[in-house]
Amino acid sequence: MSPNVPKTPARQIRIGETWYDFDAGAKAMGTERAAVIRELIDWYIREPGAKLPQRPDRDVVDAARKARAAQEASE
């Protein structure tokens, strides 16, 4: 069995704490952050047929923030 070798190199960006909220939102929509970012990039550069991805309900983000705050308070 061959190792997991991505087709494209990883890129680094700095986002901050909202990265975790973004993860919760992506998971709530049944996807992952990388897929949402690729969709946003395609839309931004006007790739033919590209559309903005669907967004999660705000309560998903609020719940993720509350859970993170509770975890940090217990540490």
Side-chain angles (χ1 to χ4, degrees):
M1 188 148 102
S2 63
N4 179 13
V5 180
K7 295 179 183 178
T8 58
R11 306 285 191 239
Q12 289 185 341
I13 59 173
R14 292 178 196 213
I15 295 176
E17 293 295 311
T18 56
W19 185 246
Y20 304 112
D21 302 334
F22 182 43
D23 187 48
K27 287 178 180 173
M29 298 304 292
T31 190
E32 57 186 30
R33 292 177 291 205
V36 176
I37 291 169
R38 285 190 297 269
E39 288 180 46
L40 287 167
I41 291 170
D42 286 348
W43 169 81
Y44 190 82
I45 63 172
R46 299 177 184 267
E47 284 293 326
K51 295 180 182 174
L52 283 171
Q54 293 292 312
R55 298 188 297 170
D57 291 332
R58 182 63 194 190
D59 61 341
V60 171
V61 174
D62 292 338
R65 287 182 177 170
K66 286 178 185 174
R68 193 169 62 253
Q71 182 180 358
E72 289 172 358
S74 69
E75 292 177 352

